Amino acid sequence: MSISGNVSPQWLEEQYQLWKSDPGQVSPDWQAFFEGFDLARQTPVSDSNLAAKNSAVDSLIYRYRDLGHLQACTDPLSPCLTDHAQLNLAAFGLSEADLDQTFYPLRFPKQSATLREIVELLKDTYCGAIGVEFMHIQDPTKREWLKQRMEEKRNRAQLDRAEQLHVLEKLQEATLFEAFLHRKFLGQKRFSLEGGEVIIPLLDTLLTQAAERGISDLIMGMSHRGRLNVLANIFDKPLENLFAEFQDNLELAFVGDGDVKYHKGYSADRVLPSGHNLHLSLAANPSHLEAVDPVVIGKCRARHVGYGPGGKKRVLPVLIHGDAAFAGQGLVTEVLNLSQLDGYQSGGTFHLVVNNQIGFTTAPAHARSTLYATDVAKMLMVPIFHVNGEDPEAAVYAASLALEYRQTFGDDVVVEVICYRLHGHNEGDEPFFTQPLMYEKIRQRPPLHEIYAARLIASGVEPQAVTERSDKISKRLEAALDGEPKPQADVGFQAKWANIQRDYTREEPATKVDAKTLKKLAQRLASLPPGLNAHPKIERLLKRREESLLEDTGIDWANAEALAFASLLTENVPVRLSGQDSRRGTFNQRHSTLVDQKTGQLYVPLAFLQKGQAAIQIYDSMLSEAAVLGLEYGYSLETPHGLTIWEAQFGDFANGAQVIIDQFIGTSGTKWDRSSGLVLFLPHGYEGQGPEHSNARIERFMNLCADNNMHIAYPSTPAQLFHLLRRQCKLPYRRPLIVFTPKSLLRLPACSSTLSELSEGSFQAILPCATPAEQVETLLLCSGKIYFELQAALEAAGRDDVGVLRIEKLYPLHQDVLQEAVSRYRNVKRVAWVQEEPKNMGPWPHLQYRLSRAIGRNPEYCGRKAAAAPAVGSHRRHREEQQQIIDLALGVPKAPGNKDK
């Protein structure tokens, strides 16, 4: 169908007249149409085919821009294509007879050119060592920007001799480093970069260009492949220290359990030859491929927020991926989706995909369903550059152009380097077992630095200049092997972490806030600006919250949380809360962000407490657990003096981010000496909502606990939450805090706190019984929501011989504190632990032994039997089970014929 197939002649004539008077009055597509129309009208009648051929040439130009990458010479292991069915002249009704005919193409670098010149420019630009996918980008400004820059230089680097020799030297550094490790530490895993050494000059160029374009911080995430090479030749990590790690030199003391050398993070401040300073940071990461991606984005987000306006252009996230992981790991897609979201965007990520054309032993045909490993990135409509891994000048050019695009438009960019892997997955693998044909080709390939050196020698470089550089590098490697490791700064606790101590202490900070201040904050939170059309119900809710403080009628959960946030903000502690539906709250409880009912404008009362307060960020996240939690963990690493919270929609859904919990939150301190004060809000409690909306898996988090690596709390009152959040920011050290938060308690009148409990109290690891100690004959211990059901049953039954002791902090739970709490009940005849969760879940599996030690006997267990699923699906069965737990705890005899289920 023609471009005008769905428009009327009258409308078309009107648009044509508008275009004639001012081309800018119509869209770019219609401009092109009318230009072609006029050109056809001016064609001499004697040449009836010229108009058709002009149109064919325009189509050919478009096709090369769109599909030229299919003929690009980007695979060093395959011969270059000389033709492609969709790009040859016959596909457009043209022939070699037309090659010397002059045409007048639209939007082309030359106003007129022969077909031969046109094809030559297009092949040079789009079918050389760089294949580019960019025509899927819908923004014509971005497409035009790319076209102009690529076609002007024909996608070729224009390096002077000094720059070429520098590229050669970086290649030599990369290759000789790997060869040296292979000789000196034979058999040790290093996950060599050999076959992909070109990324070293690429990254070197990226650093130089980044600094010159105003970037001050470059934060990188990558997996194990080539990591040691990057540390040595990009981050300038002392070779002596790297070699000492291979020798497992115990004098290089580490904190905690440590990790393998190709997982560790590193930071450095580089002074580049241009004189620019650039801070480099390589995030520590586990073996779980791509898990570090959102962590890097979170670190970058925190840094550019700290810089203020313009911060996005100062901080560059760089993620280095493998081809199989980029296509196979869903976390990649989640992180790509974060790139343009308010609250999560980082100004554009530089994605470098090292495509060694194999995933462990899996061929591309079995690793993805797409043509390219990078096809998933097209969801963002960003440029993708495919580069031949044996053309270092093409690689550095692509990196430079991609960075310029990122700085101009604030979008992600993707550079895929197509190369190979010299060895197997690690140096002990035999790749010929599974890829004999591929590895026969690889066996015959000379090292890249030799290929490039031969190219430079052929262009006039003296061979001596090549050998001098390689000899110098070899001598430096040998000297470093014999040298002493250099002292390294305690990076984890410098700069913004300088006043935070590494070690855990039992010190308890003051967290109370005087009543006058709390009342003032409550008034500010309830004061709405004139003209804001708040929802009437929300306006009444805010007033009730204010009155609850002014009249001391009971502070509920959401109110205590808001007051904790507000008090921290006015003490210059920034607060960030992120999660699915966090602004309103999953259970319609928070209402942190008001929406004008007439304009849709947002208003956050916490942002307008007083002049000079700290920043508040509350965001509704996309529907992802792993990526968002990973981002918030990264954010917390950069903000030790702030309160950073990730909230699950239901605590059950946290297992969607289990990799982040297990590999980062639970173990980063002992593996990498990296502390985090991240807080997790995990709604938990049994209300008959089924197996996926009841249980946040307390037992899984407790199973991660050792050496005081995190805090786990199940607070039962608003005041406890208030002090717990303030305590998190005032402790002298930082540890992750896991908070199991309520659902039904959010509106339970009994679950409220007095003003004095906020203004005079503090967080209590254990809350004592309401029953006087001397009256207690049955002592029930529990955590969380079940307390209120037990207390209600006791009051209904008129029982004054039963005490309920609440354990609010599940870890660390110090034995002396527990011992002291239970020792005051001297007349106890019966002790039982009560929980809602099945016997193999909840706190019981981990507390049973500690409780036995504290009370000198084995406590009874009152709860659901062990189960595979966390909860039943029937609401009726839930009620029955819940009542059985209460009856068992209170010693109520079973009805005749009632059997355990």
Side-chain angles (χ1 to χ4, degrees):
M1 181 180 291
S2 71
I3 194 171
S4 58
N6 291 320
V7 300
S8 68
Q10 294 84 356
W11 184 87
L12 192 60
E13 178 62 25
E14 291 172 2
Q15 297 300 303
Y16 178 62
Q17 295 302 326
L18 283 173
W19 173 79
K20 289 187 68 175
S21 62
D22 179 7
Q25 294 187 76
V26 300
S27 70
D29 287 338
W30 281 109
Q31 290 179 37
F33 176 81
F34 291 133
E35 287 171 6
F37 175 72
D38 263 20
L39 183 63
R41 292 179 64 190
Q42 297 165 17
T43 301
V45 177
S46 60
D47 192 351
S48 59
N49 290 328
L50 185 56
K53 287 189 176 183
N54 266 304
S55 179
V57 169
D58 286 336
S59 297
L60 177 142
I61 293 170
Y62 183 93
R63 184 77 59 81
Y64 265 93
R65 289 166 175 165
D66 188 30
L67 300 179
H69 57 88
L70 297 176
Q71 193 179 321
C73 186
T74 55
D75 182 359
L77 299 181
S78 300
C80 297
L81 297 175
T82 58
D83 190 29
H84 192 283
Q86 296 190 67
L87 296 172
N88 62 38
L89 296 178
F92 303 92
L94 299 168
S95 68
E96 292 190 4
D98 300 310
L99 286 174
D100 294 316
Q101 184 171 342
T102 299
F103 292 91
Y104 302 87
L106 300 173
R107 296 187 182 84
F108 194 71
K110 298 180 179 181
Q111 289 187 343
S112 65
T114 64
L115 181 57
R116 188 185 306 277
E117 292 171 330
I118 292 170
V119 171
E120 180 184 339
L121 184 148
L122 293 171
K123 283 189 174 182
D124 286 349
T125 304
Y126 300 111
C127 303
I130 300 176
V132 190
E133 294 182 273
F134 72 104
M135 292 300 282
H136 58 281
I137 300 174
Q138 293 185 356
D139 187 335
T141 303
K142 296 175 181 178
R143 287 200 309 270
E144 194 62 31
W145 188 95
L146 286 163
K147 281 190 295 185
Q148 287 179 0
R149 279 157 181 77
M150 292 189 297
E151 292 175 8
E152 178 183 308
K153 295 184 178 180
R154 302 198 180 199
N155 264 345
R156 292 180 179 177
Q158 297 173 347
L159 304 183
D160 60 31
R161 186 63 81 197
E163 290 170 329
Q164 289 177 325
L165 289 172
H166 181 71
V167 169
L168 174 64
E169 186 169 351
K170 298 309 290 184
L171 288 173
Q172 290 173 324
E173 287 178 352
T175 307
L176 295 176
F177 173 79
E178 297 289 359
F180 186 84
L181 293 180
H182 191 68
R183 290 195 312 274
K184 301 297 183 180
F185 306 104
L186 190 63
Q188 287 206 41
K189 286 184 181 180
R190 55 191 165 88
F191 296 100
S192 159
L193 186 60
E194 289 162 291
E197 300 97 329
V198 74
I199 76 163
I200 296 301
L202 185 155
L203 289 173
D204 181 73
T205 297
L206 184 65
L207 263 60
T208 302
Q209 293 287 320
E212 291 177 357
R213 294 186 180 279
I215 291 170
S216 58
D217 303 70
L218 188 150
I219 316 297
M220 185 183 295
M222 68 180 298
S223 61
H224 44 277
R225 174 80 51 208
R227 189 181 184 95
L228 299 179
N229 209 314
V230 169
L231 283 169
N233 295 311
I234 297 299
F235 281 74
D236 283 351
K237 181 173 181 177
L239 294 171
E240 294 84 352
N241 296 53
L242 278 169
F243 297 157
E245 291 174 6
F246 273 93
Q247 295 166 332
D248 205 3
N249 190 333
L250 293 179
E251 293 179 6
L252 274 180
F254 51 80
V255 177
D257 298 316
D259 201 351
V260 292
K261 49 191 165 290
Y262 39 80
H263 286 174
K264 295 178 181 178
Y266 191 74
S267 294
D269 291 302
R270 288 278 310 271
V271 179
L272 301 175
S274 61
H276 293 94
N277 295 314
L278 185 64
H279 176 76
L280 302 178
S281 177
L282 178 62
N285 72 286
S287 286
H288 298 62
L289 299 177
E290 307 297 342
V292 76
D293 296 358
V295 177
V296 168
I297 303 304
K299 285 169 65 69
C300 291
R301 172 77 189 180
R303 282 185 177 246
H304 84 62
V305 167
Y307 282 136
K312 290 178 187 176
K313 290 188 180 294
R314 288 188 57 182
V315 184
L316 177 66
V318 177
L319 295 178
I320 303 180
H321 315 266
D323 54 311
F326 197 76
Q329 292 290 319
L331 196 54
V332 170
T333 308
E334 294 184 26
V335 171
L336 290 172
N337 197 31
L338 288 170
S339 66
Q340 296 298 325
L341 298 182
D342 186 31
Y344 304 92
Q345 58 189 205
S346 58
T349 299
F350 189 104
H351 298 275
L352 174 57
V353 180
V354 182
N355 185 348
N356 52 38
Q357 308 189 61
I358 190 170
F360 207 138
T361 65
T362 303
H366 300 129
R368 62 179 186 265
S369 298
T370 58
L371 175 63
Y372 292 115
T374 55
D375 280 346
V376 66
K378 290 180 184 176
M379 64 183 278
L380 294 184
M381 301 194 185
V382 298
I384 302 170
F385 302 89
H386 308 282
V387 185
N388 190 313
E390 287 192 347
D391 192 327
E393 293 190 13
V396 300
Y397 168 82
S400 179
L401 180 60
L403 178 64
E404 185 184 0
Y405 182 93
R406 185 266 184 189
Q407 289 296 92
T408 302
F409 297 108
D411 289 343
D412 285 25
V413 289
V414 181
V415 177
E416 180 191 32
V417 174
I418 302 170
C419 51
Y420 58 85
R421 188 186 69 197
L422 182 62
H423 304 288
H425 177 67
N426 62 60
E427 288 67 36
D429 271 354
E430 176 50 79
F432 274 90
F433 289 158
T434 52
Q435 275 78 29
L437 302 181
M438 178 183 188
Y439 270 84
E440 180 57 30
K441 293 180 182 178
I442 292 172
R443 187 182 65 82
Q444 299 176 22
R445 301 302 300 166
L448 179 55
H449 76 285
E450 293 182 6
I451 295 174
Y452 190 58
R455 175 178 162 187
L456 294 187
I457 290 170
S459 68
V461 171
E462 290 294 329
Q464 184 180 353
V466 175
T467 56
E468 283 177 352
R469 283 170 167 77
S470 61
D471 290 345
K472 178 181 172 185
I473 294 166
S474 296
K475 289 177 181 176
R476 187 165 72 238
L477 291 167
E478 290 288 353
L481 183 64
D482 298 329
E484 290 295 320
K486 292 181 169 34
Q488 296 290 287
D490 191 2
V491 176
F493 294 89
Q494 282 190 328
K496 62 190 71 169
W497 282 87
N499 296 322
I500 305 292
Q501 69 183 45
R502 171 189 286 112
D503 298 325
Y504 168 84
T505 174
R506 293 180 64 172
E507 175 184 341
E508 286 295 327
T511 56
K512 62 185 180 181
V513 178
D514 68 85
K516 183 178 179 181
T517 299
L518 289 172
K519 289 179 180 180
K520 180 180 177 182
L521 292 173
Q523 290 173 321
R524 290 298 306 145
L525 290 169
S527 300
L528 303 182
L532 179 69
N533 300 290
H535 193 287
K537 290 184 178 180
I538 305 304
E539 199 164 0
R540 290 195 295 271
L541 171 67
L542 296 179
K543 281 299 177 186
R544 286 198 301 272
R545 289 181 181 176
E546 179 187 15
E547 291 166 2
S548 71
L549 268 84
L550 298 180
E551 301 174 11
D552 202 6
T553 54
I555 300 166
D556 67 15
W557 195 274
N559 199 1
E561 177 193 86
L563 290 167
F565 291 167
S567 61
L568 289 170
L569 291 168
T570 55
E571 293 170 8
N572 207 31
V573 176
V575 176
R576 177 180 169 91
L577 169 62
S578 162
Q580 296 160 26
D581 313 299
S582 286
R583 282 177 166 168
R584 191 204 72 169
T586 300
F587 311 102
N588 199 26
Q589 85 281 9
R590 181 171 291 122
H591 297 288
S592 66
T593 305
L594 281 57
V595 183
D596 190 295
Q597 299 295 296
K598 294 183 179 179
T599 66
Q601 182 179 352
L602 303 182
Y603 177 75
V604 181
L606 284 164
F608 300 95
L609 300 170
Q610 68 180 35
K611 188 176 180 180
Q613 69 170 74
I616 175 71
Q617 300 179 64
I618 303 181
Y619 293 106
D620 291 336
S621 77
M622 71 178 196
L623 198 61
S624 157
E625 284 77 37
V628 178
L629 178 56
L631 184 146
E632 300 306 337
Y633 167 79
Y635 197 98
S636 73
L637 296 179
E638 298 289 337
T639 54
H641 298 287
L643 180 64
T644 304
I645 305 170
W646 175 75
E647 181 176 51
Q649 190 180 60
F650 283 82
D652 315 56
F653 302 162
N655 60 10
Q658 201 66 49
V659 169
I660 304 298
I661 294 167
D662 291 348
Q663 310 310 132
F664 292 94
I665 294 172
T667 56
S668 65
T670 191
K671 289 193 300 187
W672 308 317
D673 195 25
R674 294 296 289 160
S675 295
S676 165
L678 180 65
V679 179
L680 273 63
F681 278 180
L682 306 179
H684 174 89
Y686 281 61
E687 286 105 1
Q689 296 190 59
E692 274 77 53
H693 295 81
S694 301
N695 192 324
R697 297 287 190 172
I698 292 174
E699 71 282 355
R700 288 183 179 170
F701 287 93
M702 295 191 73
N703 199 44
L704 292 172
C705 293
D707 301 324
N708 304 305
N709 63 327
M710 64 172 71
H711 295 286
I712 298 181
Y714 193 179
S716 61
T717 73
Q720 283 282 83
L721 176 72
F722 174 86
H723 292 294
L724 184 64
L725 294 178
R726 289 180 52 77
R727 173 183 183 271
Q728 180 71 357
C729 299
K730 295 179 179 296
L731 288 168
Y733 59 90
R734 293 292 176 266
R735 294 292 187 275
L737 169 62
I738 315 301
V739 185
F740 296 100
T741 56
K743 295 174 285 185
S744 59
L745 297 188
L746 293 170
R747 292 175 178 79
L748 184 70
C751 184
S752 63
S753 297
T754 63
L755 179 59
S756 63
E757 288 174 326
L758 274 65
S759 64
E760 299 174 10
S762 62
F763 178 75
Q764 302 297 309
I766 298 176
L767 289 179
C769 304
T771 308
E774 63 274 9
Q775 295 178 210
V776 175
E777 297 182 1
T778 295
L779 180 61
L780 303 178
L781 298 97
C782 69
S783 283
K785 178 178 78 71
I786 194 73
Y787 164 79
F788 292 96
E789 296 178 50
L790 290 169
Q791 202 64 34
L794 289 172
E795 292 174 6
R799 298 280 297 273
D800 60 2
D801 62 330
V802 180
V804 185
L805 193 73
R806 284 171 278 177
I807 298 180
E808 303 276 291
K809 190 167 88 167
L810 297 172
Y811 188 84
L813 179 58
H814 298 290
Q815 197 67 29
D816 59 334
V817 175
L818 183 58
Q819 187 83 38
E820 181 184 353
V822 299
S823 64
R824 69 184 66 174
Y825 303 99
R826 303 179 183 276
N827 302 321
V828 168
K829 300 174 182 178
R830 173 177 175 253
V831 181
W833 170 262
V834 188
Q835 68 175 34
E836 301 179 290
E837 301 84 4
K839 193 173 185 178
N840 56 325
M841 303 177 195
W844 173 250
H846 297 271
L847 290 186
Q848 181 180 6
Y849 173 71
R850 311 201 86 189
L851 294 174
S852 299
R853 283 183 58 197
I855 62 179
R857 68 180 98 162
N858 290 326
E860 295 179 27
Y861 169 77
C862 301
R864 289 173 168 83
K865 67 176 184 177
V872 297
S874 163
H875 197 274
R876 177 185 59 79
R877 280 189 60 194
H878 160 76
R879 290 199 309 270
E880 291 174 355
E881 290 180 352
Q882 203 77 356
Q883 189 59 51
Q884 288 171 7
I885 295 171
I886 302 300
D887 290 348
L888 182 61
L890 271 59
V892 177
K894 296 178 183 178
N898 188 12
K899 298 180 180 180
D900 287 337
K901 297 182 179 179

